[in-house]
Amino acid sequence: MLKDFEYLSIRYKDEKLEILDQRRLPDIEEWMESKTPEDMITYIKQLSVRGAPLIGVAASVALFVYVRDHPDADRKTIVEVSDQLRNARPTAVNLMNNIDTMIQLSQPDQDKRDYSAEKMAELAYSIVEAEVEMCRRMSEFGAELVQQGEGILTHCNTGGVATPGMGTALGVIRAAHRAGKQIHVYVDETRPLLQGGRLTTYELEREQIPYTLICDNMAATLMAAGKIQRVLVGADRIARNGDFANKIGTYSVAVLAKYHNIPFHGVAPWSTVDPACPSGKHIPIEQRAPQEVQGASGAFGSVRWAPKDSQTFNPAFDVTPNSLITSLILDTGVYDCQSFEKYVEQIKGNLS
Ligand SMILES: CSC[C@H]1O[C@H](OP(=O)(O)O)[C@H](O)[C@@H]1O
């Protein structure tokens, strides 16, 4: 039914769906099977599976696995299961877009009760392949903008760990490196969950791409010293006016880049664009658990520096307004943010 596939952080082989537990990286590479929708929902909520494109792909394949294993499930039950997967995290719109595709395009004929597992397998595989191809295209578009010898700052993790492909912002960095542009990457750690310090360094080490790891509060001084010539970040949801939500801390990097006249780009597949969302003000921002801010685990072991009942603020994302964005680099091209709205209609038309 579903063809086998294997990428850096997700694989489907011998009818088993497995994910690489991103909480354990870079020290431990541990694969975990997802047997049920509940398994996948747990993995997404705890960020074993993370990264907007990967979340959408993983949930889509998990929905196929459910339909495959429940041939007698009726339409109502399958839609309920798809809703549970769809609601696993609220900000990354790839999740909703992909689940909606699976449900809408596998609608059985009116006289049939159930969804075809074969059709679901076909759709899930096409979603995976599309994300891989979108990563390749946006990476190439972005790499053309990168100049020889640039210092590039990136935030969070947007690579092969966060997508079933070469990545979004980190895909651009990969493509520029492979094209021989001798770039140097500045990786900020990305508090509180350290996706940059743990995952982006893990990926750059694997490909021997030169980088410097920095704390989040060091970006400004590097910009002032002229070390950063470009900023490349991912996105979790792009509104039709070009504002986008991305990992918390992105907005502050965008403000710093504007102040220092440094090009700042959001890099994402079309599956991250939400044409129904008018502006960044309308993007739901996930609030996460206090303990993620109250302590950390890693090089210094697991340590808590604030009491369990201490007041915390822990939004997983923030919104960068289009006024701070030099351009959006998508798999369909590079777009000036000030007039992104008019491109949305054009792209929708071309893709339909
Ligand atoms: C290509 S991943 C896009 C996006 O997802 C990440 O969020 P999280 O680690 O919470 O899943 C981050 O915002 C990346 O930029």
Side-chain angles (χ1 to χ4, degrees):
M1 252 194 256
L2 179 59
K3 283 188 280 187
D4 287 357
F5 62 81
E6 179 158 8
Y7 296 100
L8 190 53
S9 58
I10 188 170
R11 65 191 182 200
Y12 182 83
K13 289 168 81 175
D14 306 326
E15 301 196 343
K16 273 172 61 177
L17 171 58
E18 293 182 302
I19 58 97
L20 184 63
D21 186 351
Q22 296 188 37
R23 298 174 306 168
R24 312 292 302 274
L25 292 176
D27 303 323
I28 298 168
E29 295 181 348
E30 180 182 2
W31 288 87
M32 301 194 293
E33 187 177 2
S34 174
K35 294 179 179 171
T36 65
E38 292 74 20
D39 287 345
M40 188 53 75
I41 290 165
T42 299
Y43 296 157
I44 290 172
K45 285 182 180 296
Q46 68 187 27
L47 275 72
S48 293
V49 170
R50 52 144 301 277
L54 183 76
I55 290 170
V57 160
S60 302
V61 180
L63 181 58
F64 154 72
V65 168
Y66 175 80
V67 173
R68 179 198 72 190
D69 296 347
H70 297 80
D72 300 330
D74 64 12
R75 182 181 304 182
K76 179 172 176 295
T77 306
I78 292 170
V79 170
E80 281 168 1
V81 167
S82 71
D83 280 343
Q84 289 158 18
L85 282 162
R86 196 178 189 280
N87 297 325
R89 286 183 78 188
T91 305
V93 76
N94 315 58
L95 175 56
M96 299 82 183
N97 284 342
N98 290 350
I99 290 293
D100 292 349
T101 297
M102 291 283 283
I103 288 295
Q104 286 155 17
L105 296 190
S106 57
Q107 284 280 5
D109 297 334
Q110 288 317 313
D111 61 349
K112 287 197 189 116
R113 279 189 334 106
D114 58 3
Y115 286 79
S116 142
E118 280 294 341
K119 182 66 180 166
M120 283 280 193
E122 195 185 295
L123 287 166
Y125 194 75
S126 65
I127 284 170
V128 174
E129 283 196 313
E131 289 290 351
V132 173
E133 177 59 11
M134 288 192 279
C135 282
R136 186 188 67 76
R137 288 196 191 154
M138 76 181 91
S139 300
E140 284 181 9
F141 281 128
E144 283 170 24
L145 300 176
V146 174
Q147 302 305 306
Q148 184 71 20
E150 280 189 351
I152 298 177
L153 172 67
T154 191
H155 186 64
C156 198
N157 170 259
T158 58
V161 162
T163 70
M166 63 193 286
T168 60
L170 200 54
V172 172
I173 287 168
R174 270 195 170 92
H177 174 74
R178 290 173 186 170
K181 295 199 174 175
Q182 277 145 11
I183 54 174
H184 190 93
V185 189
Y186 289 88
V187 180
D188 71 24
E189 59 180 357
T190 318
R191 281 277 299 148
L193 296 179
L194 309 179
Q195 287 94 325
R198 293 185 300 113
L199 305 176
T200 297
T201 57
Y202 168 77
E203 291 198 47
L204 295 176
E205 286 288 346
R206 286 164 64 96
E207 289 196 35
Q208 292 299 293
I209 297 176
Y211 71 89
T212 299
L213 175 60
I214 65 170
C215 296
D216 297 342
N217 54 11
M218 298 172 185
T221 199
L222 282 165
M223 290 180 181
K227 297 291 186 185
I228 311 287
Q229 283 71 48
R230 194 174 303 276
V231 179
L232 293 168
V233 299
D236 289 81
R237 189 179 304 220
I238 302 172
R240 49 183 307 124
N241 74 337
D243 300 347
F244 67 75
N246 195 53
K247 184 52 51 196
I248 185 72
T250 301
Y251 173 49
S252 41
V253 169
V255 169
L256 291 172
K258 189 77 174 180
Y259 179 80
H260 291 279
N261 295 315
I262 295 171
F264 176 93
H265 309 277
V267 189
W270 173 252
S271 54
T272 303
V273 175
D274 182 1
C277 179
S279 74
K281 290 198 293 289
H282 300 82
I283 299 176
I285 300 297
E286 176 186 9
Q287 301 298 322
R288 293 188 62 86
Q291 58 263 34
E292 292 178 353
V293 174
Q294 291 165 342
S297 59
F300 33 73
S302 285
V303 61
R304 174 188 295 283
W305 41 66
K308 281 186 179 174
D309 60 353
S310 56
Q311 191 74 23
T312 60
F313 176 58
N314 187 17
F317 304 99
D318 57 24
V319 172
T320 299
N322 60 26
S323 56
L324 297 179
I325 303 164
T326 307
S327 63
L328 285 170
I329 302 169
L330 307 186
D331 53 288
T332 50
V334 181
Y335 303 94
D336 160 53
C337 251
Q338 311 311 318
S339 48
F340 186 61
E341 187 127 18
K342 74 168 190 257
Y343 294 119
V344 170
E345 291 314 315
Q346 279 174 18
I347 300 168
K348 274 174 70 178
N350 297 340
L351 292 174
S352 56

